[in-house]
Amino acid sequence: MSWQTYVDSNLVGSQALKRAAIFGHDAGQWATSSGLTIQPAEVQKLVAAFKDPSGIRAAGIYLAGDKYFALKADDRSIYGKKGAAGCVCVKTGKAVLIGLYDESQQPGAAANVVEKVADYLIQSGY
């Protein structure tokens, strides 16, 4: 299965997310939703936040130019909120999955989808 299929079918296709992307730990883009542009610098800061979340707790999470308030940040998962919308970011051994949901979608469902895809990728060696 291609990385784009994971984004289109497993993440956005779940209907729990509006847009999604998968990046490597080096901030290289593996796949992304159409129209979603997350800058390499934003991904680099996100990857660094899995090791030390103090920066995003103070300044927020920036993805595609939007600022999200950090709700949860540990060495595996970072969740953020912007009004009724939000982001779910999960780090695997080699990748970072980013899911964005809007006000019409449930945060818990979005988190569940991204976490389950991450679990599958971890089990598959990614």
Side-chain angles (χ1 to χ4, degrees), residues 23-24 27 38-48 62-63 96 98:
F23 287 86
I38 299 175
Q39 299 300 321
E42 294 173 326
V43 179
Q44 289 167 346
K45 287 180 183 178
L46 181 64
V47 170
Y62 286 87
L63 297 169
V96 176
I98 300 170

Side-chain angles (χ1 to χ4, degrees), residues 25 43-54 56 72-79 88-92 95-98:
H25 290 187
V43 179
Q44 289 167 346
K45 287 180 183 178
L46 181 64
V47 170
F50 287 106
K51 293 178 186 164
D52 178 11
S54 60
I56 63 165
K72 172 186 176 177
D74 58 36
D75 61 354
R76 174 188 160 103
S77 305
I78 296 174
Y79 297 178
V88 178
C89 309
V90 182
K91 182 178 157 209
T92 69
V96 176
L97 284 67
I98 300 170

Side-chain angles (χ1 to χ4, degrees), residues 5 10 13-14 17 20 26-28 31-32 51 61 68 103 107 111 124 126:
T5 302
N10 300 73
S14 70
L17 298 166
D26 63 354
T32 187
K51 293 178 186 164
I61 307 158
Y68 297 87
E103 58 281 344
S124 299
Y126 287 97

